[in-house]
Amino acid sequence: MLHRLRARLRSLWRWRRQESDLAQEIQFHLSEEADERVAAGCSPDQARLAARRDFGNVASVRARTRDVWVWPWLQDLGQDVRFACRLLARDRWFTLAAGLPVGFAGAFVVGKVLEGALLRTSPSDPATLASIIALLLGVTLTACVVPARRAAHAGVRAGYSGNAKMNKLLPSLGFIPVRRLSTPVFNERPVLTAIYCVPSTA
Amino acid sequence: MTVDKARIELLQGTLDLLILSTLVFGPSHGHAIARQIRTVSEEVLHVETGSLYPALHRLEAHGWIASDWKLSDKGKRAKYYRLTRSGRTQLVHEQSKWDQLTAAMARVLRPAE
């Protein structure tokens, strides 16, 4: 977790360094260009002006170069979001316990704000609140059930173990390790994790 | 701004190839790369800075070139780009693609000689 945070900070820091690097890079280009003109017989002031004019719009060059960095940065961000989702999935009860009060408080506050904007219906109307909760629960359950049912249809009964003792015991009981991962699945700390498959009797 | 009649607009995608092949001769900074392309092409190819710097940073993001800050021969701090191993492979790949393209263009433009 701390490691991820450090990586995130590093990426932000890298962005700032890239910005200042680019500014220096452009500055160097301008001074080289001006030096060349001075060597060709221009006055220093003229040379500087001409170098700037030939370079074009510095801000637009910077913006176009910055565009190149955005994609890797977005990929990093995507990884962070996936990581956050995994953490939430692992600690789902904690998430639920923390999310419910926050959600209710939020709904109440937003409801109060929206009250003026809504016509003929109250935002704290029990039926509306209940139906929203039901909808969200439905979405959550679908998100859990669909992958589980898929796995069941594929005829695979599988589980995973991130426990060293179990990793030794399970194969001796006839469970087949399908995939061993040294990368964490639901743990931030990398432990040897293996996905097991129960041998089918057929 | 002076407009050279001999000047030819760079084709899309050719700048990467030009930069990579310029760096074969050793590390160089952005300004020198642009100057090198201009002089070697006998003033025909002019690289706009608005294309040069995004291209350099894109090539670096691909890992085809890498950069270091070094002092230039006049003692100023400059960002020097150099070709990496995968950059060399990419250069060979791009070069053969370019050869194919020019050969194909020539066949279409001057058929059956």
Side-chain angles (χ1 to χ4, degrees):
Chain A
M1 184 75 172
L2 219 61
H3 169 77
R4 288 295 293 202
L5 199 66
R6 264 208 302 272
R8 187 76 262 166
L9 283 174
R10 243 203 320 272
S11 148
L12 272 176
W13 179 74
R14 193 169 56 227
W15 183 280
R16 288 186 55 181
R17 206 197 55 202
Q18 275 176 320
E19 281 283 353
S20 81
D21 270 11
L22 180 62
Q24 280 188 54
E25 205 177 357
I26 291 173
Q27 208 51 51
F28 176 79
H29 186 111
L30 287 170
S31 82
E32 281 290 286
E33 192 70 36
D35 284 356
E36 248 176 30
R37 278 158 209 270
V38 170
C42 271
S43 80
D45 280 345
Q46 267 182 326
R48 230 188 336 265
L49 273 174
R52 269 207 171 263
R53 198 185 49 225
D54 265 21
F55 189 92
N57 189 340
V58 173
S60 109
V61 172
R62 285 180 71 159
R64 287 180 61 182
T65 309
R66 208 178 288 127
D67 284 348
V68 176
W69 316 330
V70 172
W71 181 235
W73 189 77
L74 278 180
Q75 280 174 320
D76 269 14
L77 194 73
Q79 250 178 22
D80 283 356
V81 171
R82 275 198 297 279
F83 175 70
C85 289
R86 258 189 263 146
L87 267 187
L88 286 180
R90 189 188 61 162
D91 297 328
R92 49 198 168 279
W93 295 118
F94 171 77
T95 310
L96 198 66
L100 273 178
V102 173
F104 268 118
F108 184 75
V109 172
V110 173
K112 279 274 167 244
V113 174
L114 279 179
E115 211 155 24
L118 289 174
L119 282 173
R120 281 195 296 269
T121 174
S122 155
S124 51
D125 169 37
T128 314
L129 271 185
S131 54
I132 290 172
I133 290 172
L135 175 72
L136 286 179
L137 267 178
V139 171
T140 316
L141 282 176
T142 317
C144 298
V145 168
V146 168
R149 277 187 66 90
R150 276 215 192 122
H153 275 293
V156 180
R157 279 191 290 154
Y160 91 92
S161 156
N163 180 298
K165 260 188 200 158
M166 287 298 277
N167 275 332
K168 269 189 199 143
L169 185 68
L170 285 172
S172 68
L173 291 174
F175 290 86
I176 305 160
V178 185
R179 244 180 104 191
R180 280 181 190 282
L181 313 149
S182 54
T183 47
V185 175
F186 287 129
N187 283 62
E188 316 96 310
R189 261 176 297 124
V191 285
L192 178 72
T193 309
I195 294 175
Y196 290 96
C197 171
V198 185
S200 93
T201 43
Chain B
M1 203 186 271
T2 54
V3 181
D4 277 6
K5 277 205 184 122
R7 214 156 140 173
I8 295 175
E9 284 292 312
L10 278 179
L11 282 173
Q12 185 86 37
T14 52
L15 181 57
D16 289 6
L17 177 57
L18 288 173
I19 292 173
L20 291 176
S21 56
T22 303
L23 289 175
V24 165
F25 304 105
S28 189
H29 52 73
H31 184 261
I33 292 171
R35 194 182 45 210
Q36 171 94 351
I37 292 173
R38 205 170 57 221
T39 37
V40 173
S41 71
E42 291 168 353
E43 303 288 323
V44 175
L45 301 175
H46 284 239
V47 183
E48 302 289 335
T49 47
S51 322
L52 175 69
Y53 285 99
L56 285 170
H57 284 243
R58 190 178 51 245
L59 292 173
E60 196 179 9
H62 280 298
W64 295 330
I65 59 178
S67 66
D68 298 296
W69 284 91
K70 281 193 269 190
L71 288 182
S72 73
D73 23 325
K74 279 175 234 142
K76 283 183 196 155
R77 242 168 69 81
K79 196 175 179 189
Y80 278 82
Y81 293 93
R82 63 189 149 77
L83 210 54
T84 61
R85 191 191 289 265
S86 69
R88 271 172 212 283
T89 320
Q90 180 64 17
L91 173 59
V92 172
H93 175 71
E94 294 258 336
Q95 205 139 28
S96 80
K97 250 174 46 185
W98 176 253
D99 290 342
Q100 278 176 353
L101 175 70
T102 47
M105 286 289 287
R107 280 198 294 276
V108 175
L109 296 177
R110 291 192 184 79
E113 280 203 350

